[in-house]
């Protein structure tokens, strides 16, 4: 049975709020990358808070930012409940918004089992009756696949809409234009061609051969078919750097990168159904990440193992039966780690004996990674100073392997240091790829422009 709840109107129509605009305003909170003001000093990432209280705080901030709720209205709702938030109209309003988001399929709620402390509270007692507050439920929220796809759609629309008018394209704009639809000239039919018959050219060929007679005799050589643009398929792997430098220097660089991946996913799913998109995270190691897990992925205290990321991306692309294969790598630094086989090279021990020498910063240790299936005989070699010959050799070896496999590497570097520019130029030249140097504000626009340009420049 459906119940209708009546309450005093407080100036905010909960059921009239556009949930799409609300999800757009929540995107930064839902796609949290672990960025925190104290991360530079502590080097410890804060786990993402997915509790209902955190969701209510994010919703309240989104309503304020959109101008749907003012500080005066908030205070008025609290005053009606003697200044208490619990049981106030404000809490009811936020709960109704959460219910709408769940009903529309943008979010999902699930209750986690009680913690050990909560279990002790429930099981405690000496047999005597007592009055106390009930143990709170541990309810968490998650973004659904529909919610992620919608965030990708909103990001894509904002990015492409900001580019203005264009002389050609398939994306809707608010501008009007005139034009004609042109096609390539038809060709004589050959066995195996699609029967897309050009009736006018076929009849004209028969008339030129026999004249205008009735009935008109058509022969095999009179048949002409339309020619259409050849459309190939493309397999794309987006490599996302989730090393600690992505949020280290007072700037969140990982959240824009995640938005790019979501936008590319929506673009491929809706406009290029024959294409494929995979996500690879690279840090101390590398791992393939399902698109549904991208929203909750955070950076960590990792180094940059570009070679392992390229190796995994190459293996994924080689398993794809597509005409084109490319890697879109988003990073902000030079490679600082790689895997080595067997024992420690003799030259590396000098760095431990001479901390201030040429080998300072080098370290060899067992791999600490979220990846599964890493070979046990491999050891992780790290040099946080960058430019290490062992790391660079391993990286360029994988770049060469990508070139031999016909895989193009497009790099989007979130830095502009001289040694980084030279490294990216060399890597791009080896695979005939492109390199862009961007910042978190224009990264997504660069990626989407380049992706669309490559789709239009395929072999006809």
């Amino acid at each position: 049975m459906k119940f209708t709840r009546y309450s005093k109107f407080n100036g905010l129509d909960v059921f009239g709020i556009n949930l799409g605009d609300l999800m757009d305003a929540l995107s930064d909170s839902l796609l949290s990358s672990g960025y925190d003001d104290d991360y530079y000093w502590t080097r410890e990432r804060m786990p993402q808070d997915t509790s209902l209280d955190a969701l209510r705080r994010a919703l309240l901030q989104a309503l304020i930012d959109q101008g749907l709720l003012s500080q005066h209205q908030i205070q008025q709702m609290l005053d009606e409940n003697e200044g208490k938030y619990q049981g106030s109209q404000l809490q009811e309003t936020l709960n109704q918004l959460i219910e709408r988001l769940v009903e529309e399929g943008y979010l999902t709620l699930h209750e986690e089992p009680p913690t050990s402390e909560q279990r002790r509270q429930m099981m405690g007692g000496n047999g005597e009756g007592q009055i106390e507050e009930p143990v709170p439920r541990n309810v968490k929220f998650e973004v659904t696949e529909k919610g992620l796809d919608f965030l990708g759609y909103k990001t894509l629309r904002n990015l492409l809409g900001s580019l203005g008018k264009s002389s050609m394209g398939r994306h809707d704009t608010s501008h009007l234009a005139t034009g004609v639809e042109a096609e390539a000239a038809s060709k004589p039919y050959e066995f195996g061609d699609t029967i897309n018959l050009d009736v006018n050219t076929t009849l004209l060929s028969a008339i030129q051969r026999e004249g205008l007679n009735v009935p008109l005799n058509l022969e095999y050589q009179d048949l002409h078919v339309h020619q259409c643009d050849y459309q190939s398929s493309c397999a794309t792997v987006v490599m996302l750097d989730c090393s600690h430098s992505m949020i280290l220097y007072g700037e969140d660089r990982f959240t824009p990168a995640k938005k790019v991946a979501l936008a590319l996913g929506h673009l491929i799913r809706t406009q290029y159904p024959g294409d494929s998109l995979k996500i690879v995270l690279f840090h101390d190691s590398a791992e393939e990440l399902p698109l549904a897990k991208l929203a909750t992925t955070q950076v960590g205290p990792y180094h940059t193992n570009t070679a392992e990321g390229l190796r995994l991306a190459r293996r994924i692309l080689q398993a794809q039966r597509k005409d084109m294969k490319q890697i879109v790598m988003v990073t902000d630094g030079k490679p600082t780690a790689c895997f080595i086989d067997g024992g420690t090279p003799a030259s590396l021990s000098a760095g431990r004996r001479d901390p201030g020498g040429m080998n300072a910063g080098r370290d060899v240790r067992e791999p600490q990674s979220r990846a599964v299936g890493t070979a046990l005989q491999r050891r992780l070699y790290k040099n946080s100073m960058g430019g290490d010959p062992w790391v660079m050799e391993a990286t360029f070896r994988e770049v060469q392997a990508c070139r031999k496999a016909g895989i193009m590497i497009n790099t989007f570097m979130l830095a502009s240091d001289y040694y980084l520019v030279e490294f990216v130029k060399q890597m791009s030249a080896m695979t005939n790829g492109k390199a862009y140097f961007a910042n978190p504000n224009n990264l997504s626009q660069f990626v989407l422009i380049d992706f669309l340009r490559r789709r239009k420049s395929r072999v006809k």
Side-chain angles (χ1 to χ4, degrees), residues 101-343:
L101 291 172
V102 173
E103 290 175 357
E104 294 296 329
Y106 293 112
L107 300 177
T108 182
L109 303 180
H110 65 278
E111 184 175 1
E112 294 188 352
T115 62
S116 57
E117 180 64 25
Q118 291 175 337
R119 284 195 296 267
R120 282 196 297 268
Q121 293 179 8
M122 291 185 292
M123 299 299 294
N126 53 6
E128 298 181 359
Q130 54 185 351
I131 299 176
E132 59 182 20
E133 294 294 328
V135 178
R137 299 171 59 190
N138 190 14
V139 180
K140 303 291 185 180
F141 75 90
E142 288 183 358
V143 186
T144 63
E145 292 187 5
K146 176 183 176 180
L148 287 175
D149 188 61
F150 184 80
L151 291 178
Y153 160 73
K154 295 289 288 187
T155 303
L156 180 64
R157 191 183 67 173
N158 294 337
L159 294 175
L160 297 179
S162 65
L163 304 181
K165 293 188 294 184
S166 175
S167 60
M168 60 181 299
R170 298 177 56 190
H171 301 278
D172 296 333
T173 67
S174 58
H175 306 284
L176 300 177
T178 59
V180 296
E181 184 176 354
E183 295 184 2
S186 58
K187 62 179 286 290
Y189 172 77
E190 297 178 5
F191 179 77
D193 290 341
T194 302
I195 307 298
N196 186 15
L197 194 65
D198 186 350
V199 179
N200 294 336
T201 305
T202 299
L203 294 178
L204 182 61
S205 175
I207 293 174
Q208 289 176 344
R209 182 175 48 80
E210 292 192 351
L212 186 57
N213 298 321
V214 179
L216 188 62
N217 183 30
L218 290 178
E219 295 186 0
Y220 184 85
Q221 61 268 22
D222 296 327
L223 299 178
H224 284 71
V225 292
H226 289 290
Q227 294 188 93
C228 301
D229 291 340
Y230 172 73
Q231 295 182 341
S232 61
S233 57
C234 180
T236 302
V237 170
V238 177
M239 284 178 52
L240 299 181
D241 181 0
C242 65
S243 61
H244 67 286
S245 59
M246 293 291 281
I247 60 172
L248 182 59
Y249 302 109
E251 187 176 36
D252 183 6
R253 302 170 178 175
F254 193 58
T255 299
K258 291 201 291 186
K259 290 184 178 180
V260 166
L262 290 175
L264 283 176
H266 181 82
L267 177 68
I268 289 176
R269 186 161 43 252
T270 56
Q271 300 296 324
Y272 310 105
D275 288 8
S276 65
L277 175 69
K278 302 292 183 180
I279 308 296
V280 167
L281 293 180
F282 65 104
H283 35 88
D284 285 353
S285 182
E287 59 188 294
E288 183 178 356
L289 181 73
L291 193 62
K293 299 294 183 181
L294 184 60
T296 57
T297 302
Q298 297 183 344
V299 299
Y302 304 114
H303 289 70
T304 308
N305 193 343
T306 308
E308 188 66 14
L310 291 173
R311 178 175 176 269
L312 178 58
R314 174 172 55 84
R315 293 176 58 185
I316 293 174
L317 289 174
Q318 287 178 330
Q320 300 286 325
R321 301 183 62 180
K322 304 294 182 182
D323 299 329
M324 295 180 61
K325 300 175 182 179
Q326 67 171 346
I327 294 174
V328 177
M329 182 170 64
V330 183
T331 181
D332 69 336
K334 210 170 185 179
T336 58
C338 69
F339 283 117
I340 58 175
D341 297 326

Side-chain angles (χ1 to χ4, degrees), residues 353-381:
R353 292 192 304 266
D354 182 16
M358 294 294 293
N359 295 319
R362 293 180 175 180
D363 187 19
V364 180
R365 62 183 63 183
E366 297 298 328
Q368 298 176 358
S369 169
R370 291 176 291 182
V372 178
T374 303
L376 296 179
Q377 66 272 19
R378 296 194 303 166
R379 304 182 67 189
L380 182 64
Y381 169 59

